[in-house]
Amino acid sequence: MLIKIHPDAIYAILAAILFGLATPVAKLLVRDVSPQMLAGLLYAGSGFGLFILYGITRLFKRSHQEQNAIQLSDLPWLAGAIISGGMLGPALLMQGLLSTPASMASLLLNLESVLTAAFAWFIFKEHFDKRIFIGMVCIVLGSLLLSWPKQLNAAFPWGALAIAGACACWAIDNNLTRKISANDALQIACIKGLAAGFVNLVIALSLGNKFPGLPIGISAATIGFMGYGVSLVLFVISLRHIGTARTGAYFSVAPFAGVICSFVLLHEQPDALFWVATGFMMIGVWLHLTEHHAHAHHHEALLHKHIHTHDEHHQHIHDFDWDGIEPHVHPHQHTTLSHSHPHFPDIHHQHKH
């Protein structure tokens, strides 16, 4: 079967590649910087880099392209996402990298997509089907094989457990961010980066950690900007268009980018169990990428605001002079509509099955 990827899923795949490459590169730095300090530098680099990018884009955007700004009602969701994904998650990952090979850590990060989907399905009630569920089971089996002690008397794999904890934190973050994904993705990622960077740096300094030398600091900030900042912007856009669980499913390709990078940069030598685990995970990712979901469904009337083009879901009239340029942003009304087409649980498809 040929893999037919949803057009909007490319955002999740690009986000996954950037994030996956960041893990083994961060492994090179964690030897010289404390986990808390490195987490702070990564997110500070993300926040400041996106702040500059946000300012540049504002200079060239027209008024009809302005996206939704964060509202007061969005702050609880944003605060929860910052605490779980911006503060706890990266600190646990950096701690786990101290005692876990980068290649193994990269594949263990597949647990993020599994936990993201589990929270989306069972807590936030997002739809899922048998194919996606089986794919998640394969990924879980692969993760268990990676973290299983090689000998019965081996020390408990605390590093792997810390990475699994980081994945749980990011899964909570992903589901909370989904609630505000119709807003400006660049603004969301910028705020998360600045807040998480500031708090992690304060914690690191209070623990007696010192700032590293300039080369390491710049390297960490650059990794953070690309692997955490730009990656998060793309991830939020994907959340908006294909939902939380599916975005997490496509994001499963992240660890494989990290594994390849770890072999090249760190010259790690995987064992047989590693390849068995990789096989399970590749089956899971393939099941995700080849999913097709289409059926007759009904749209209720809805009034909201987000960036859009005039596709089959946006056939509204305008109460202002429109110059015909798309995409654009304005409050718009959706009328009731029943039809059938391939779709994902985006902001327009939250129906029951």
Side-chain angles (χ1 to χ4, degrees), residues 29-312:
L29 300 179
V30 78
R31 304 165 182 167
D32 305 309
V33 189
S34 72
Q36 198 75 49
M37 176 62 72
L38 183 54
L41 291 171
L42 289 169
Y43 271 93
S46 165
F48 280 110
L50 293 179
F51 181 77
I52 295 172
L53 185 59
Y54 182 74
I56 294 173
T57 58
R58 295 276 295 184
L59 294 176
F60 296 98
K61 274 186 178 179
R62 300 180 181 181
S63 58
H64 69 271
Q65 295 175 312
E66 293 292 339
Q67 299 191 48
N68 292 354
I70 297 294
Q71 305 296 314
L72 188 61
S73 59
D74 299 324
L75 293 182
W77 302 111
L78 182 60
I82 291 172
I83 293 171
S84 59
M87 299 176 188
L88 299 178
L92 285 170
L93 175 62
M94 296 307 116
Q95 188 65 44
L97 285 176
L98 286 173
S99 57
T100 307
S103 56
M104 181 183 292
S106 293
L107 282 183
L108 279 171
L109 289 176
N110 256 323
L111 280 174
E112 179 185 347
S113 66
V114 177
L115 295 173
T116 294
F119 293 159
W121 296 338
F122 301 113
I123 298 178
F124 294 93
K125 306 304 180 183
E126 189 173 294
H127 171 260
F128 70 96
D129 58 25
K130 183 170 65 175
R131 186 184 189 86
I132 289 292
F133 178 77
I134 294 173
M136 291 300 182
V137 171
C138 290
I139 292 173
V140 169
L141 288 175
S143 299
L144 288 175
L145 288 174
L146 284 176
S147 58
W148 200 262
K150 301 298 184 294
Q151 300 175 0
L152 292 179
N153 61 350
F156 189 82
W158 292 109
L161 184 63
I163 294 172
C167 291
C169 290
W170 281 320
I172 295 171
D173 173 9
N174 295 339
N175 279 277
L176 297 179
T177 302
R178 171 69 175 84
K179 294 292 186 179
I180 57 174
S181 61
N183 296 315
D184 190 333
L186 188 54
Q187 186 183 61
I188 293 172
C190 178
I191 293 173
K192 289 176 71 173
L194 289 173
F198 174 78
V199 171
N200 276 296
L201 288 176
V202 168
I203 293 174
L205 292 172
S206 67
L207 293 174
N209 303 143
K210 295 181 179 180
F211 282 107
L214 189 60
I216 293 179
I218 293 176
S219 298
T222 303
I223 295 168
F225 172 63
M226 295 301 298
Y228 288 68
V230 177
S231 174
L232 179 56
V233 172
L234 296 170
F235 191 89
V236 173
I237 295 173
S238 183
L239 287 174
R240 180 190 306 158
H241 290 295
I242 63 175
T244 312
R246 270 71 176 182
T247 295
Y250 282 101
F251 200 74
S252 297
V253 303
F256 297 104
V259 167
I260 294 171
C261 185
S262 66
F263 290 164
V264 174
L265 288 181
L266 306 176
H267 308 291
E268 294 181 354
Q269 298 297 320
D271 56 17
L273 194 61
F274 174 90
W275 292 114
V276 175
T278 299
F280 275 111
M281 290 185 168
M282 290 184 69
I283 292 171
V285 171
W286 177 80
L287 288 169
H288 292 160
L289 293 177
T290 54
E291 181 204 11
H292 180 81
H293 181 76
H295 62 90
H297 57 277
H298 180 72
H299 294 270
E300 298 291 345
L302 174 67
L303 175 65
H304 64 172
K305 177 183 177 183
H306 64 91
I307 190 167
H308 62 277
T309 58
H310 285 191
D311 57 19
E312 60 181 318

